[in-house]
Amino acid sequence: MYKLWIIEDEPGLAQGLKIAFEKEGNYSVSLASSLGDLKELLSKETPDIALLDIRLPDGNGLDALPHILKTSPQVKVIVMTAFGDSALVVKAIKEGAYNYLDKPFPLEAARNMVARAAENIALQRAVSQMTADSSVDLTGSSPPIQQIRGFVEKVSKVSDLNILIRGESGSGKEVLARLIHRTSGCKGNFVALNCAAIPENLLEAELFGYKKGAYTGAVQDKMGLVELADGGTLFLDEIGDMPLALQGKLLRFLDSRSYRPLGGTKEIKVSLRVISATCQNIEDKIAKGEFRRDLYYRIAMFPIIIPPLRERGKDVIEIFYTFVEQYRKSFKRPPLSLTPEAEEVFLDYSWPGNCRELKNLVERLFILKDPEDRLVRLSDLPDRMLEELPQKDNKIATQAPGQTLQEKIESFERHLIEEALNKAKNNKTKAAELLGISRFALLRRMQKYGIE
C-alpha cells in the first residue's frame, strides 16, 4: 500500500483522483487544498507519492517541494501544471520533482505516471533491503575511505558500542552505519530513526514504545525501535536535532542499556550497538545550550568523519558506475558511460549534495535519456554542473584590464583560444594547458563560440 497525497485546490479534480486511485486498492489517499493543509499533513507523516499542483490559493506549490524532499528524499513528487514545458516545470524537475502532468490530463495518464512512480519506489525498497542485508559497501579507493574500512573492521566485532559518524549531508553516513552492522555479523536488526523527521511529541514513543493507556489514543502496546534493534544496531540519524528533553533519557539509556516504555513500570534490558550521525557542528550546539555535552561524549565513544565527495578524487567515478549498475538493473536498461569531457566535469564539480546528489543524477539520466543512447555527454548534465568552473578558469578575464564591454571581452577570449589551438596544432589538452584552464573549460568555451 502506497501513501498518495493529492495537493490540489480544485475540489472536482481532487475528489475524482481520490476516488479513482482508492478503487485500485494500492493507495491510501490524503487530500490537501493549500500549502497550509500540506504543512499540517507533513507534521504527522510523509507520503510515498505526491501529486502537487503548482498554483495553490495561498502560494506556489513549488515552494513546498524542497520541504517535502527534505522530510523524505524518497518521495516521488509529480507536479501538476497548466503551463506545459514552462520554466516552472524545468525548475521543478531541477529541484527534485519526479515528473509532471500537463493540465488538463486524462485520468489514464495520471494512473500510468503514479504507477511508474510506485514501481520505482518498490524497486528502491527492494534495492535498499538487499543493500541492508547483504551488499552494503562503501565504494571508493581513496586513502580516507581505506582508513574508514580499517576502522570498520576493528569496531564491528564489538557489541554495545556507541559510534558517532560525522559528515556533510548525503556523504554516505547511513551507508557506513549499515556497513558496520553487516560486517559485525550480528543476527539482530538494523533499525534507523531520523530524529529530525519525527515530531518532538512522538519521538520518545517511537524510540522507547508505550503501553496501552499511556496517553489518549494509545489503544494497544507499541514496541519501540530500541526493542526492535535488540541484538543488532540502532541508527540515530540527525542526532543533533534531538530535543533537549529527550537527550537526558537517551543518555540514561546509553549508560545502562535499559529503558522503560511510556506508561510502563518495568525496566527492559537490551544489548545493541548505537550509531549516531550528524551533519551539524555539535560543538556549536553545545555552546548554545542546544545539545548536552555529556551526551556528546557518550555518543562519540568512537568518532569517525566521512569526507565529502569533492575530497575523494576519482571515487566519484567509481560511485557513478556503482549507481549505474544499480539503476541499470532497476530500469532493465543497458549501462551508461561517461564521455571524457563529462568525466572531467564530474571530477571538477564540488558536489554540494555529495553521494545523494550523484545518485539522483544517475536516476534522472536513466529516466530522461533515450534508452538507445548509452553515453553521458555535457548536454546531459544539469546547468549547475556546467556553470561551476575551477578558480583557475578566471585567468583569462583578468588578462584584459580596461575591457569593460562584454562584446570586446568575448572577442578577445575567442582570439586567445584560437591562438592556443593553433600553437598546440589543435591538441585540446595542450591548448588548455597553454591557456591555464581545464580541458573541460576549453571545450565549453569552444562550444560557446562555435569553434570546431
Side-chain angles (χ1 to χ4, degrees):
M1 183 74 73
Y2 298 94
K3 288 183 287 185
L4 172 65
W5 289 6
I6 300 171
I7 304 98
E8 169 60 57
D9 63 328
E10 294 180 30
L13 176 58
Q15 287 294 337
L17 289 170
K18 184 178 190 298
I19 292 169
F21 282 109
E22 285 183 340
K23 278 185 178 179
E24 293 188 21
N26 296 324
Y27 308 96
S28 62
V29 182
S30 299
L31 298 181
S33 59
S34 65
L35 291 177
D37 291 344
L38 175 59
K39 184 178 180 181
E40 185 177 346
L41 281 175
L42 284 170
S43 69
K44 300 174 183 177
E45 58 178 349
T46 55
D48 297 312
I49 305 167
L51 291 171
L52 175 64
D53 189 18
I54 288 181
R55 301 286 182 175
L56 292 169
D58 56 346
N60 190 331
L62 290 188
D63 292 341
L65 182 58
H67 183 61
I68 295 172
L69 296 175
K70 181 181 179 182
T71 304
S72 180
Q74 290 76 32
V75 176
K76 302 300 177 187
V77 180
I78 300 167
V79 297
M80 300 183 291
T81 175
F83 302 95
D85 59 349
S86 66
L88 286 175
V89 171
V90 175
K91 182 174 184 288
I93 297 298
K94 285 183 177 179
E95 291 186 358
Y98 174 72
N99 214 323
Y100 75 96
L101 285 166
D102 193 3
K103 288 181 176 180
F105 51 81
L107 177 59
E108 197 59 30
R111 278 177 171 159
N112 289 339
M113 192 167 291
V114 170
R116 287 200 298 273
E119 182 181 0
N120 189 273
I121 291 169
L123 288 169
Q124 286 182 329
R125 287 175 178 172
V127 169
S128 176
Q129 185 61 44
M130 178 181 65
T131 300
D133 291 344
S134 61
S135 60
V136 180
D137 198 6
L138 197 63
T139 303
S141 53
S142 61
I145 297 304
Q146 292 178 7
Q147 290 177 4
I148 289 174
R149 289 199 185 97
F151 171 87
V152 170
E153 286 296 325
K154 292 176 181 177
V155 303
S156 62
K157 303 305 179 185
V158 184
S159 60
D160 291 318
L161 290 184
N162 302 324
I163 300 169
L164 176 63
I165 303 174
R166 305 180 69 164
E168 293 181 5
S169 178
S171 57
K173 296 186 289 296
E174 183 168 350
V175 171
L176 176 55
R178 289 184 180 274
L179 178 61
I180 294 171
H181 173 75
R182 189 203 71 183
T183 307
S184 72
C186 64
K187 295 182 179 179
N189 298 317
F190 179 93
V191 179
L193 173 67
N194 188 328
C195 299
I198 308 294
E200 181 176 345
N201 60 331
L202 299 178
L203 191 55
E204 182 178 355
E206 194 73 17
L207 196 57
F208 298 118
Y210 56 78
K211 293 295 183 180
K212 178 180 178 181
Y215 56 84
T216 303
V219 296
Q220 60 183 12
D221 292 356
K222 174 181 170 59
M223 181 184 294
L225 298 183
V226 166
E227 190 172 352
L228 286 173
D230 189 14
T233 301
L234 176 66
F235 177 59
L236 300 177
D237 199 9
E238 304 298 347
I239 188 71
D241 287 316
M242 178 169 282
L244 268 173
L246 189 55
Q247 290 179 25
K249 295 179 181 179
L250 177 61
L251 176 62
R252 180 184 178 280
F253 166 72
L254 293 177
D255 282 336
S256 63
R257 287 300 196 271
S258 64
Y259 69 98
R260 268 203 311 262
L262 286 171
T265 57
K266 294 182 179 179
E267 290 279 331
I268 299 175
K269 188 80 173 176
V270 292
S271 174
L272 75 169
R273 182 181 297 101
V274 178
I275 303 178
S276 305
T278 183
C279 61
Q280 300 187 48
N281 188 322
I282 294 291
E283 289 81 2
D284 282 353
K285 293 183 76 71
I286 292 172
K288 294 175 183 177
E290 297 173 355
F291 200 88
R292 293 180 57 137
R293 188 181 300 273
D294 49 2
L295 177 59
Y296 169 69
Y297 290 137
R298 179 61 66 187
I299 63 174
M301 180 191 299
F302 288 93
I304 184 169
I305 298 175
I306 186 166
L309 193 53
R310 63 181 171 275
E311 295 178 6
R312 293 174 55 181
K314 291 192 175 180
D315 281 2
V316 64
I317 306 301
E318 294 182 43
I319 297 170
F320 169 79
Y321 285 111
T322 299
F323 288 144
V324 164
E325 183 63 18
Q326 174 181 316
Y327 284 112
R328 178 189 72 80
K329 294 176 181 177
S330 300
F331 286 90
K332 298 179 181 179
R333 294 257 297 273
L336 296 174
S337 297
L338 294 171
T339 61
E341 295 79 13
E343 184 171 315
E344 188 166 352
V345 177
F346 272 55
L347 294 171
D348 281 343
Y349 183 55
S350 66
W351 296 105
N354 291 293
C355 298
R356 185 180 295 123
E357 181 182 2
L358 176 54
K359 183 177 182 180
N360 290 341
L361 173 62
V362 173
E363 183 177 13
R364 253 177 254 174
L365 288 170
F366 273 102
I367 292 171
L368 299 177
K369 279 187 67 66
D370 183 337
E372 301 302 318
D373 185 2
R374 303 184 185 184
L375 285 178
V376 178
R377 302 175 176 82
L378 296 182
S379 58
D380 297 316
L381 303 180
D383 290 343
R384 65 178 182 275
M385 294 182 67
L386 302 179
E387 290 168 357
E388 184 179 310
L389 297 175
Q391 290 297 316
K392 60 185 177 180
D393 292 350
N394 296 327
K395 198 169 184 178
I396 292 179
T398 60
Q399 289 176 344
Q403 299 286 340
T404 57
L405 296 177
Q406 186 64 28
E407 293 81 4
K408 290 185 178 181
I409 293 173
E410 292 179 351
S411 176
F412 181 64
E413 186 175 51
R414 177 177 182 137
H415 170 74
L416 290 176
I417 290 172
E418 290 175 337
E419 185 178 57
L421 287 168
N422 286 333
K423 287 182 179 178
K425 297 181 181 179
N426 214 38
N427 184 310
K428 298 179 182 61
T429 300
K430 290 182 179 179
E433 291 175 357
L434 289 172
L435 292 168
I437 61 177
S438 68
R439 186 171 184 271
F440 159 65
L442 173 62
L443 291 170
R444 187 168 180 268
R445 285 165 167 77
M446 288 176 65
Q447 288 179 349
K448 176 181 177 181
Y449 298 123
I451 301 173
E452 298 295 332

